[in-house]
Amino acid sequence: MSKTIAITTLGCKINQFESAAMTQALEQNGYSMVPFPDKADIYVINSCTVTAKTDAESRRLIRRATRLNPEARVVVTGCYAQMNAEELLKLAGVNLILGNSEKKDIVGFLEGINDQPRAVVSDISLEKTGETAPLETFAEHTRAFLQVQNGCDARCAYCIVPYARGASRSVAVQEALDGMAAFAAQGFQEIVLTGIHLGAYGLDLAPATDLLGLMQKAQEQGAVRRLRIGSVEPTEVSRQLIDFMARSPMVCPHLHLPLQSGSDSVLSRMNRGYNTALFREVVQSLASAMPEVCIGSDVIAGFPGESDREFDETYRFIDSLPLAYLHVFPFSQRPGTPAATMAPQVHPKVIKERAEALRVLSERKKSDYAAGFVGRELRVLVQKGEKGLSRNYLTVLIEEGKGLVNREVTVQVTGAKGGELTGRVLKES
């Protein structure tokens, strides 16, 4: 049986979690993992399909795998495989296509892999539970990502994800708590809760609960030293959640709030379900309750019909908010979504120019946010070498940080450059 496997991952933290779970299962069954650029017997591409560009990247990786070893078996899984299995079957070198539900059983599917290409992709809309593949450890050694939710019930006009991931479904509360405990027992100092639509956590459980309820139970049980939550929709950030984050000794003061546009007319066309007034209120409430909070956001440049005036509204709105960074996405037509056929489409050159302007704005905001901590103290988790991550998501280069990996220390911040800080250790936290 072929024994060396290389896995490469595109897309979100959920895919990263699932690749780590596949890696663990494969190693437990006798396979040897090698880096993707190395020669392997089997290559696994855990794909993304959020844009046409990521589809193209998956195809490029397939071609690369066949060049690295023409005799290798190539497996494609993830969201591109879920949505376009028939298209992938036509590509030279692809032996096996697994849907998102099937990837957790990759070991069994590999036992029957041969030269006859086949696709095993079930109807993701029929999935009713948030069951995940077991994962006991994580390669990073200091921070672990824990998937507690999958799927999405929203229907944003630009997004294919609900069709690739199915309906929102949650991991049972006790299973999520057990996952945190398992990572903590492995020595991880920080756990990041992740999901496709994390703010919908628990609504489908019986009895129903929510993300706040899960976090409260984690704190009651002393699950981990540092708990970080990923992206949460602005409509799902309640006053109670903000108050809990502000008081909690465990939850990191960091939240990612997808904005997508700072123009109400564009938000309406996107079917986002909120307006800029609500977004501003949430951001201001977070900043008031937690003055050190790091708030990041997503923004799409060049959504169909975005006029110069609407882009200017977006730029000025973002500039007026205490945001620490942006993830900027140039609009890309995603076949199968309403936005793909909306008119008029913005010219690619204009999209590129607007995305670049937003990236420059992001860099300025990131630098300004970081500079505000010079002379202050931060608690920093030392990761590798002399680099660490503060609770409020700032990278800190630490003097004499060697030998302190996976420890949380209190650092005196001595400088800031390009959004990163420098500092010296005062004590272990």
Side-chain angles (χ1 to χ4, degrees), residues 296-342:
S297 194
D298 296 335
V299 60
I300 296 172
F303 186 79
E306 184 183 64
S307 65
D308 290 341
R309 177 185 59 79
E310 289 171 327
F311 175 72
D312 186 57
E313 288 174 350
T314 292
Y315 188 96
R316 288 186 290 106
F317 180 71
I318 292 170
D319 197 22
S320 72
L321 295 174
L323 298 177
Y325 65 89
L326 300 173
H327 290 165
V328 179
F329 299 92
F331 176 77
S332 174
Q333 287 177 289
R334 173 67 273 180
T337 64
T341 56
M342 285 183 178

mmCIF file of all heavy atoms in Angstrom, residues 296-342:
data_model
loop_
_atom_site.group_PDB
_atom_site.id
_atom_site.type_symbol
_atom_site.label_atom_id
_atom_site.label_comp_id
_atom_site.label_asym_id
_atom_site.label_seq_id
_atom_site.Cartn_x
_atom_site.Cartn_y
_atom_site.Cartn_z
ATOM 1 N N GLY A 296 -11.181 43.397 13.786
ATOM 2 C CA GLY A 296 -10.856 43.277 12.375
ATOM 3 C C GLY A 296 -12.124 43.130 11.560
ATOM 4 O O GLY A 296 -13.209 42.898 12.104
ATOM 5 N N SER A 297 -12.000 43.279 10.250
ATOM 6 C CA SER A 297 -13.193 43.182 9.408
ATOM 7 C C SER A 297 -12.838 42.725 8.001
ATOM 8 O O SER A 297 -11.687 42.801 7.576
ATOM 9 C CB SER A 297 -13.902 44.537 9.340
ATOM 10 O OG SER A 297 -15.212 44.394 8.806
ATOM 11 N N ASP A 298 -13.861 42.226 7.301
ATOM 12 C CA ASP A 298 -13.761 41.873 5.886
ATOM 13 C C ASP A 298 -14.437 42.958 5.063
ATOM 14 O O ASP A 298 -15.467 43.515 5.476
ATOM 15 C CB ASP A 298 -14.480 40.554 5.586
ATOM 16 C CG ASP A 298 -13.860 39.363 6.299
ATOM 17 O OD1 ASP A 298 -12.665 39.423 6.622
ATOM 18 O OD2 ASP A 298 -14.591 38.379 6.539
ATOM 19 N N VAL A 299 -13.892 43.224 3.885
ATOM 20 C CA VAL A 299 -14.552 44.164 2.977
ATOM 21 C C VAL A 299 -14.320 43.695 1.545
ATOM 22 O O VAL A 299 -13.241 43.214 1.195
ATOM 23 C CB VAL A 299 -14.047 45.610 3.189
ATOM 24 C CG1 VAL A 299 -12.546 45.717 2.950
ATOM 25 C CG2 VAL A 299 -14.806 46.583 2.316
ATOM 26 N N ILE A 300 -15.364 43.796 0.733
ATOM 27 C CA ILE A 300 -15.301 43.406 -0.685
ATOM 28 C C ILE A 300 -15.209 44.666 -1.536
ATOM 29 O O ILE A 300 -16.034 45.583 -1.401
ATOM 30 C CB ILE A 300 -16.541 42.588 -1.084
ATOM 31 C CG1 ILE A 300 -16.573 41.269 -0.310
ATOM 32 C CG2 ILE A 300 -16.559 42.321 -2.586
ATOM 33 C CD1 ILE A 300 -17.854 40.473 -0.498
ATOM 34 N N ALA A 301 -14.215 44.713 -2.402
ATOM 35 C CA ALA A 301 -14.053 45.850 -3.307
ATOM 36 C C ALA A 301 -14.648 45.515 -4.659
ATOM 37 O O ALA A 301 -14.361 44.462 -5.241
ATOM 38 C CB ALA A 301 -12.565 46.183 -3.466
ATOM 39 N N GLY A 302 -15.517 46.405 -5.164
ATOM 40 C CA GLY A 302 -16.034 46.238 -6.521
ATOM 41 C C GLY A 302 -17.208 45.308 -6.652
ATOM 42 O O GLY A 302 -17.369 44.643 -7.693
ATOM 43 N N PHE A 303 -18.063 45.229 -5.620
ATOM 44 C CA PHE A 303 -19.288 44.439 -5.756
ATOM 45 C C PHE A 303 -20.094 45.002 -6.927
ATOM 46 O O PHE A 303 -20.072 46.217 -7.190
ATOM 47 C CB PHE A 303 -20.088 44.503 -4.457
ATOM 48 C CG PHE A 303 -21.287 43.603 -4.437
ATOM 49 C CD1 PHE A 303 -21.147 42.247 -4.189
ATOM 50 C CD2 PHE A 303 -22.562 44.106 -4.680
ATOM 51 C CE1 PHE A 303 -22.248 41.404 -4.181
ATOM 52 C CE2 PHE A 303 -23.669 43.272 -4.671
ATOM 53 C CZ PHE A 303 -23.511 41.915 -4.416
ATOM 54 N N PRO A 304 -20.827 44.144 -7.661
ATOM 55 C CA PRO A 304 -21.569 44.619 -8.835
ATOM 56 C C PRO A 304 -22.397 45.869 -8.551
ATOM 57 O O PRO A 304 -23.110 45.947 -7.548
ATOM 58 C CB PRO A 304 -22.463 43.427 -9.184
ATOM 59 C CG PRO A 304 -21.649 42.243 -8.760
ATOM 60 C CD PRO A 304 -20.950 42.684 -7.507
ATOM 61 N N GLY A 305 -22.253 46.838 -9.445
ATOM 62 C CA GLY A 305 -22.990 48.083 -9.322
ATOM 63 C C GLY A 305 -22.369 49.092 -8.389
ATOM 64 O O GLY A 305 -22.894 50.219 -8.260
ATOM 65 N N GLU A 306 -21.264 48.755 -7.724
ATOM 66 C CA GLU A 306 -20.655 49.695 -6.774
ATOM 67 C C GLU A 306 -20.168 50.941 -7.522
ATOM 68 O O GLU A 306 -19.238 50.885 -8.326
ATOM 69 C CB GLU A 306 -19.484 49.036 -6.043
ATOM 70 C CG GLU A 306 -18.876 49.942 -4.971
ATOM 71 C CD GLU A 306 -17.661 49.313 -4.303
ATOM 72 O OE1 GLU A 306 -16.642 49.082 -5.010
ATOM 73 O OE2 GLU A 306 -17.722 49.042 -3.082
ATOM 74 N N SER A 307 -20.794 52.050 -7.238
ATOM 75 C CA SER A 307 -20.440 53.313 -7.890
ATOM 76 C C SER A 307 -19.275 53.970 -7.159
ATOM 77 O O SER A 307 -18.878 53.550 -6.066
ATOM 78 C CB SER A 307 -21.649 54.256 -7.870
ATOM 79 O OG SER A 307 -21.967 54.602 -6.524
ATOM 80 N N ASP A 308 -18.744 55.029 -7.758
ATOM 81 C CA ASP A 308 -17.688 55.794 -7.091
ATOM 82 C C ASP A 308 -18.193 56.333 -5.762
ATOM 83 O O ASP A 308 -17.454 56.336 -4.757
ATOM 84 C CB ASP A 308 -17.225 56.954 -7.975
ATOM 85 C CG ASP A 308 -16.442 56.483 -9.203
ATOM 86 O OD1 ASP A 308 -15.947 55.333 -9.192
ATOM 87 O OD2 ASP A 308 -16.336 57.265 -10.179
ATOM 88 N N ARG A 309 -19.422 56.784 -5.743
ATOM 89 C CA ARG A 309 -19.990 57.330 -4.500
ATOM 90 C C ARG A 309 -20.106 56.246 -3.439
ATOM 91 O O ARG A 309 -19.762 56.470 -2.266
ATOM 92 C CB ARG A 309 -21.379 57.929 -4.780
ATOM 93 C CG ARG A 309 -22.081 58.458 -3.519
ATOM 94 C CD ARG A 309 -23.496 58.920 -3.831
ATOM 95 N NE ARG A 309 -24.315 57.848 -4.385
ATOM 96 C CZ ARG A 309 -24.879 56.891 -3.649
ATOM 97 N NH1 ARG A 309 -24.703 56.856 -2.338
ATOM 98 N NH2 ARG A 309 -25.618 55.955 -4.236
ATOM 99 N N GLU A 310 -20.566 55.065 -3.821
ATOM 100 C CA GLU A 310 -20.708 53.977 -2.850
ATOM 101 C C GLU A 310 -19.347 53.518 -2.329
ATOM 102 O O GLU A 310 -19.210 53.208 -1.143
ATOM 103 C CB GLU A 310 -21.463 52.809 -3.484
ATOM 104 C CG GLU A 310 -22.944 53.118 -3.708
ATOM 105 C CD GLU A 310 -23.645 52.045 -4.527
ATOM 106 O OE1 GLU A 310 -22.981 51.446 -5.425
ATOM 107 O OE2 GLU A 310 -24.850 51.809 -4.314
ATOM 108 N N PHE A 311 -18.354 53.479 -3.196
ATOM 109 C CA PHE A 311 -17.022 53.116 -2.710
ATOM 110 C C PHE A 311 -16.493 54.180 -1.753
ATOM 111 O O PHE A 311 -15.888 53.858 -0.717
ATOM 112 C CB PHE A 311 -16.037 52.930 -3.869
ATOM 113 C CG PHE A 311 -14.634 52.681 -3.378
ATOM 114 C CD1 PHE A 311 -14.298 51.468 -2.783
ATOM 115 C CD2 PHE A 311 -13.665 53.671 -3.465
ATOM 116 C CE1 PHE A 311 -13.019 51.235 -2.294
ATOM 117 C CE2 PHE A 311 -12.377 53.455 -2.985
ATOM 118 C CZ PHE A 311 -12.054 52.229 -2.396
ATOM 119 N N ASP A 312 -16.720 55.432 -2.084
ATOM 120 C CA ASP A 312 -16.282 56.518 -1.201
ATOM 121 C C ASP A 312 -16.970 56.411 0.159
ATOM 122 O O ASP A 312 -16.337 56.649 1.202
ATOM 123 C CB ASP A 312 -16.578 57.870 -1.846
ATOM 124 C CG ASP A 312 -16.009 59.033 -1.050
ATOM 125 O OD1 ASP A 312 -14.782 59.046 -0.813
ATOM 126 O OD2 ASP A 312 -16.788 59.915 -0.648
ATOM 127 N N GLU A 313 -18.255 56.039 0.166
ATOM 128 C CA GLU A 313 -18.959 55.833 1.440
ATOM 129 C C GLU A 313 -18.284 54.730 2.252
ATOM 130 O O GLU A 313 -18.105 54.854 3.473
ATOM 131 C CB GLU A 313 -20.422 55.449 1.167
ATOM 132 C CG GLU A 313 -21.282 56.583 0.657
ATOM 133 C CD GLU A 313 -22.687 56.120 0.272
ATOM 134 O OE1 GLU A 313 -22.920 54.888 0.221
ATOM 135 O OE2 GLU A 313 -23.545 56.983 0.024
ATOM 136 N N THR A 314 -17.918 53.646 1.578
ATOM 137 C CA THR A 314 -17.253 52.534 2.255
ATOM 138 C C THR A 314 -15.922 52.978 2.838
ATOM 139 O O THR A 314 -15.618 52.700 4.008
ATOM 140 C CB THR A 314 -17.026 51.369 1.262
ATOM 141 O OG1 THR A 314 -18.287 50.819 0.919
ATOM 142 C CG2 THR A 314 -16.156 50.283 1.873
ATOM 143 N N TYR A 315 -15.119 53.663 2.036
ATOM 144 C CA TYR A 315 -13.790 54.094 2.491
ATOM 145 C C TYR A 315 -13.914 55.007 3.710
ATOM 146 O O TYR A 315 -13.224 54.817 4.725
ATOM 147 C CB TYR A 315 -13.060 54.805 1.355
ATOM 148 C CG TYR A 315 -11.616 55.112 1.671
ATOM 149 C CD1 TYR A 315 -10.599 54.260 1.260
ATOM 150 C CD2 TYR A 315 -11.266 56.265 2.388
ATOM 151 C CE1 TYR A 315 -9.267 54.534 1.550
ATOM 152 C CE2 TYR A 315 -9.946 56.545 2.687
ATOM 153 C CZ TYR A 315 -8.959 55.671 2.275
ATOM 154 O OH TYR A 315 -7.644 55.938 2.587
ATOM 155 N N ARG A 316 -14.780 56.009 3.601
ATOM 156 C CA ARG A 316 -14.920 56.975 4.701
ATOM 157 C C ARG A 316 -15.514 56.321 5.943
ATOM 158 O O ARG A 316 -15.134 56.657 7.075
ATOM 159 C CB ARG A 316 -15.772 58.164 4.252
ATOM 160 C CG ARG A 316 -15.040 59.082 3.275
ATOM 161 C CD ARG A 316 -15.798 60.354 2.929
ATOM 162 N NE ARG A 316 -16.976 60.089 2.116
ATOM 163 C CZ ARG A 316 -18.227 60.136 2.550
ATOM 164 N NH1 ARG A 316 -18.479 60.429 3.823
ATOM 165 N NH2 ARG A 316 -19.234 59.892 1.735
ATOM 166 N N PHE A 317 -16.433 55.387 5.761
ATOM 167 C CA PHE A 317 -17.037 54.701 6.913
ATOM 168 C C PHE A 317 -15.979 53.892 7.656
ATOM 169 O O PHE A 317 -15.866 53.983 8.880
ATOM 170 C CB PHE A 317 -18.165 53.786 6.434
ATOM 171 C CG PHE A 317 -18.849 53.036 7.542
ATOM 172 C CD1 PHE A 317 -19.669 53.690 8.456
ATOM 173 C CD2 PHE A 317 -18.676 51.663 7.684
ATOM 174 C CE1 PHE A 317 -20.305 52.990 9.476
ATOM 175 C CE2 PHE A 317 -19.291 50.961 8.694
ATOM 176 C CZ PHE A 317 -20.112 51.630 9.597
ATOM 177 N N ILE A 318 -15.189 53.117 6.927
ATOM 178 C CA ILE A 318 -14.142 52.318 7.568
ATOM 179 C C ILE A 318 -13.118 53.220 8.244
ATOM 180 O O ILE A 318 -12.679 52.965 9.373
ATOM 181 C CB ILE A 318 -13.465 51.402 6.532
ATOM 182 C CG1 ILE A 318 -14.450 50.332 6.062
ATOM 183 C CG2 ILE A 318 -12.200 50.754 7.095
ATOM 184 C CD1 ILE A 318 -13.971 49.518 4.881
ATOM 185 N N ASP A 319 -12.745 54.297 7.576
ATOM 186 C CA ASP A 319 -11.757 55.219 8.131
ATOM 187 C C ASP A 319 -12.226 55.836 9.443
ATOM 188 O O ASP A 319 -11.412 56.150 10.323
ATOM 189 C CB ASP A 319 -11.458 56.314 7.104
ATOM 190 C CG ASP A 319 -10.175 57.068 7.400
ATOM 191 O OD1 ASP A 319 -9.300 56.518 8.113
ATOM 192 O OD2 ASP A 319 -10.026 58.214 6.932
ATOM 193 N N SER A 320 -13.527 55.957 9.608
ATOM 194 C CA SER A 320 -14.073 56.604 10.809
ATOM 195 C C SER A 320 -14.177 55.669 12.009
ATOM 196 O O SER A 320 -14.459 56.119 13.122
ATOM 197 C CB SER A 320 -15.462 57.165 10.497
ATOM 198 O OG SER A 320 -16.429 56.120 10.368
ATOM 199 N N LEU A 321 -13.950 54.373 11.807
ATOM 200 C CA LEU A 321 -14.154 53.389 12.869
ATOM 201 C C LEU A 321 -12.832 52.962 13.507
ATOM 202 O O LEU A 321 -11.797 52.949 12.852
ATOM 203 C CB LEU A 321 -14.843 52.148 12.303
ATOM 204 C CG LEU A 321 -16.263 52.309 11.778
ATOM 205 C CD1 LEU A 321 -16.731 51.013 11.131
ATOM 206 C CD2 LEU A 321 -17.217 52.718 12.892
ATOM 207 N N PRO A 322 -12.872 52.575 14.789
ATOM 208 C CA PRO A 322 -11.658 52.067 15.455
ATOM 209 C C PRO A 322 -11.378 50.608 15.102
ATOM 210 O O PRO A 322 -11.374 49.722 15.961
ATOM 211 C CB PRO A 322 -11.990 52.242 16.946
ATOM 212 C CG PRO A 322 -13.479 52.076 17.021
ATOM 213 C CD PRO A 322 -14.012 52.701 15.743
ATOM 214 N N LEU A 323 -11.152 50.354 13.821
ATOM 215 C CA LEU A 323 -10.800 49.015 13.364
ATOM 216 C C LEU A 323 -9.275 48.870 13.340
ATOM 217 O O LEU A 323 -8.560 49.830 13.063
ATOM 218 C CB LEU A 323 -11.352 48.752 11.963
ATOM 219 C CG LEU A 323 -12.879 48.794 11.808
ATOM 220 C CD1 LEU A 323 -13.269 48.581 10.352
ATOM 221 C CD2 LEU A 323 -13.545 47.751 12.692
ATOM 222 N N ALA A 324 -8.795 47.658 13.611
ATOM 223 C CA ALA A 324 -7.355 47.422 13.682
ATOM 224 C C ALA A 324 -6.774 46.868 12.391
ATOM 225 O O ALA A 324 -5.569 46.991 12.143
ATOM 226 C CB ALA A 324 -7.036 46.472 14.836
ATOM 227 N N TYR A 325 -7.587 46.234 11.563
ATOM 228 C CA TYR A 325 -7.094 45.669 10.313
ATOM 229 C C TYR A 325 -8.277 45.282 9.441
ATOM 230 O O TYR A 325 -9.406 45.147 9.918
ATOM 231 C CB TYR A 325 -6.190 44.446 10.545
ATOM 232 C CG TYR A 325 -6.919 43.258 11.153
ATOM 233 C CD1 TYR A 325 -7.549 42.311 10.349
ATOM 234 C CD2 TYR A 325 -6.999 43.086 12.539
ATOM 235 C CE1 TYR A 325 -8.230 41.231 10.897
ATOM 236 C CE2 TYR A 325 -7.676 42.013 13.095
ATOM 237 C CZ TYR A 325 -8.283 41.093 12.275
ATOM 238 O OH TYR A 325 -8.978 40.031 12.823
ATOM 239 N N LEU A 326 -7.997 45.077 8.151
ATOM 240 C CA LEU A 326 -9.006 44.626 7.198
ATOM 241 C C LEU A 326 -8.496 43.410 6.445
ATOM 242 O O LEU A 326 -7.300 43.282 6.187
ATOM 243 C CB LEU A 326 -9.309 45.717 6.155
ATOM 244 C CG LEU A 326 -9.832 47.069 6.626
ATOM 245 C CD1 LEU A 326 -9.890 48.026 5.437
ATOM 246 C CD2 LEU A 326 -11.201 46.927 7.265
ATOM 247 N N HIS A 327 -9.405 42.521 6.079
ATOM 248 C CA HIS A 327 -9.150 41.519 5.058
ATOM 249 C C HIS A 327 -9.885 42.010 3.816
ATOM 250 O O HIS A 327 -11.120 42.086 3.808
ATOM 251 C CB HIS A 327 -9.672 40.147 5.479
ATOM 252 C CG HIS A 327 -8.895 39.524 6.588
ATOM 253 N ND1 HIS A 327 -9.357 38.453 7.319
ATOM 254 C CD2 HIS A 327 -7.667 39.821 7.094
ATOM 255 C CE1 HIS A 327 -8.454 38.123 8.232
ATOM 256 N NE2 HIS A 327 -7.432 38.942 8.116
ATOM 257 N N VAL A 328 -9.144 42.364 2.792
ATOM 258 C CA VAL A 328 -9.720 42.970 1.591
ATOM 259 C C VAL A 328 -9.854 41.912 0.492
ATOM 260 O O VAL A 328 -8.887 41.218 0.165
ATOM 261 C CB VAL A 328 -8.844 44.140 1.090
ATOM 262 C CG1 VAL A 328 -9.443 44.747 -0.176
ATOM 263 C CG2 VAL A 328 -8.706 45.202 2.183
ATOM 264 N N PHE A 329 -11.049 41.812 -0.074
ATOM 265 C CA PHE A 329 -11.316 40.831 -1.133
ATOM 266 C C PHE A 329 -11.800 41.555 -2.392
ATOM 267 O O PHE A 329 -12.880 42.155 -2.375
ATOM 268 C CB PHE A 329 -12.386 39.834 -0.688
ATOM 269 C CG PHE A 329 -12.003 39.033 0.523
ATOM 270 C CD1 PHE A 329 -12.340 39.465 1.793
ATOM 271 C CD2 PHE A 329 -11.291 37.851 0.389
ATOM 272 C CE1 PHE A 329 -11.983 38.734 2.919
ATOM 273 C CE2 PHE A 329 -10.923 37.107 1.507
ATOM 274 C CZ PHE A 329 -11.266 37.553 2.773
ATOM 275 N N PRO A 330 -11.020 41.539 -3.462
ATOM 276 C CA PRO A 330 -11.549 42.053 -4.730
ATOM 277 C C PRO A 330 -12.711 41.161 -5.161
ATOM 278 O O PRO A 330 -12.607 39.935 -5.094
ATOM 279 C CB PRO A 330 -10.365 41.916 -5.698
ATOM 280 C CG PRO A 330 -9.160 41.681 -4.830
ATOM 281 C CD PRO A 330 -9.654 41.013 -3.588
ATOM 282 N N PHE A 331 -13.812 41.748 -5.581
ATOM 283 C CA PHE A 331 -14.957 40.937 -5.988
ATOM 284 C C PHE A 331 -14.580 40.013 -7.135
ATOM 285 O O PHE A 331 -13.940 40.417 -8.111
ATOM 286 C CB PHE A 331 -16.135 41.809 -6.409
ATOM 287 C CG PHE A 331 -17.297 40.996 -6.913
ATOM 288 C CD1 PHE A 331 -18.122 40.326 -6.029
ATOM 289 C CD2 PHE A 331 -17.534 40.851 -8.275
ATOM 290 C CE1 PHE A 331 -19.175 39.535 -6.486
ATOM 291 C CE2 PHE A 331 -18.579 40.078 -8.752
ATOM 292 C CZ PHE A 331 -19.399 39.419 -7.849
ATOM 293 N N SER A 332 -14.975 38.767 -7.003
ATOM 294 C CA SER A 332 -14.745 37.759 -8.035
ATOM 295 C C SER A 332 -16.063 37.050 -8.303
ATOM 296 O O SER A 332 -16.731 36.609 -7.369
ATOM 297 C CB SER A 332 -13.681 36.759 -7.561
ATOM 298 O OG SER A 332 -13.536 35.695 -8.470
ATOM 299 N N GLN A 333 -16.451 36.969 -9.570
ATOM 300 C CA GLN A 333 -17.699 36.298 -9.919
ATOM 301 C C GLN A 333 -17.638 34.825 -9.542
ATOM 302 O O GLN A 333 -16.737 34.109 -9.942
ATOM 303 C CB GLN A 333 -17.968 36.424 -11.416
ATOM 304 C CG GLN A 333 -18.395 37.804 -11.847
ATOM 305 C CD GLN A 333 -18.572 37.891 -13.343
ATOM 306 O OE1 GLN A 333 -17.598 37.871 -14.085
ATOM 307 N NE2 GLN A 333 -19.819 37.986 -13.793
ATOM 308 N N ARG A 334 -18.595 34.415 -8.735
ATOM 309 C CA ARG A 334 -18.668 33.027 -8.306
ATOM 310 C C ARG A 334 -19.901 32.416 -8.948
ATOM 311 O O ARG A 334 -21.031 32.686 -8.533
ATOM 312 C CB ARG A 334 -18.774 32.997 -6.777
ATOM 313 C CG ARG A 334 -19.033 31.652 -6.107
ATOM 314 C CD ARG A 334 -17.903 30.685 -6.250
ATOM 315 N NE ARG A 334 -18.045 29.938 -7.504
ATOM 316 C CZ ARG A 334 -17.206 29.017 -7.919
ATOM 317 N NH1 ARG A 334 -16.131 28.740 -7.225
ATOM 318 N NH2 ARG A 334 -17.425 28.383 -9.055
ATOM 319 N N PRO A 335 -19.736 31.633 -10.029
ATOM 320 C CA PRO A 335 -20.899 31.027 -10.684
ATOM 321 C C PRO A 335 -21.792 30.303 -9.684
ATOM 322 O O PRO A 335 -21.312 29.629 -8.775
ATOM 323 C CB PRO A 335 -20.255 30.044 -11.672
ATOM 324 C CG PRO A 335 -18.911 30.636 -11.964
ATOM 325 C CD PRO A 335 -18.465 31.253 -10.671
ATOM 326 N N GLY A 336 -23.099 30.476 -9.852
ATOM 327 C CA GLY A 336 -24.048 29.858 -8.936
ATOM 328 C C GLY A 336 -24.568 30.790 -7.872
ATOM 329 O O GLY A 336 -25.464 30.424 -7.106
ATOM 330 N N THR A 337 -24.004 32.011 -7.816
ATOM 331 C CA THR A 337 -24.475 32.991 -6.839
ATOM 332 C C THR A 337 -25.217 34.116 -7.566
ATOM 333 O O THR A 337 -24.923 34.408 -8.730
ATOM 334 C CB THR A 337 -23.310 33.599 -6.042
ATOM 335 O OG1 THR A 337 -22.454 34.326 -6.947
ATOM 336 C CG2 THR A 337 -22.506 32.512 -5.347
ATOM 337 N N PRO A 338 -26.160 34.795 -6.898
ATOM 338 C CA PRO A 338 -26.874 35.901 -7.541
ATOM 339 C C PRO A 338 -25.944 37.001 -8.039
ATOM 340 O O PRO A 338 -26.191 37.592 -9.098
ATOM 341 C CB PRO A 338 -27.796 36.408 -6.425
ATOM 342 C CG PRO A 338 -28.025 35.219 -5.550
ATOM 343 C CD PRO A 338 -26.722 34.474 -5.559
ATOM 344 N N ALA A 339 -24.873 37.286 -7.299
ATOM 345 C CA ALA A 339 -23.981 38.382 -7.679
ATOM 346 C C ALA A 339 -23.258 38.138 -8.989
ATOM 347 O O ALA A 339 -22.832 39.083 -9.660
ATOM 348 C CB ALA A 339 -22.962 38.644 -6.564
ATOM 349 N N ALA A 340 -23.116 36.874 -9.374
ATOM 350 C CA ALA A 340 -22.384 36.552 -10.602
ATOM 351 C C ALA A 340 -23.072 37.105 -11.841
ATOM 352 O O ALA A 340 -22.420 37.380 -12.850
ATOM 353 C CB ALA A 340 -22.217 35.043 -10.723
ATOM 354 N N THR A 341 -24.377 37.280 -11.758
ATOM 355 C CA THR A 341 -25.126 37.749 -12.930
ATOM 356 C C THR A 341 -25.707 39.149 -12.730
ATOM 357 O O THR A 341 -26.467 39.628 -13.563
ATOM 358 C CB THR A 341 -26.273 36.774 -13.261
ATOM 359 O OG1 THR A 341 -27.110 36.605 -12.109
ATOM 360 C CG2 THR A 341 -25.717 35.416 -13.679
ATOM 361 N N MET A 342 -25.354 39.788 -11.617
ATOM 362 C CA MET A 342 -25.830 41.148 -11.396
ATOM 363 C C MET A 342 -25.162 42.110 -12.367
ATOM 364 O O MET A 342 -24.011 41.928 -12.766
ATOM 365 C CB MET A 342 -25.523 41.598 -9.959
ATOM 366 C CG MET A 342 -26.429 40.996 -8.902
ATOM 367 S SD MET A 342 -26.018 41.668 -7.254
ATOM 368 C CE MET A 342 -27.263 40.844 -6.266
#
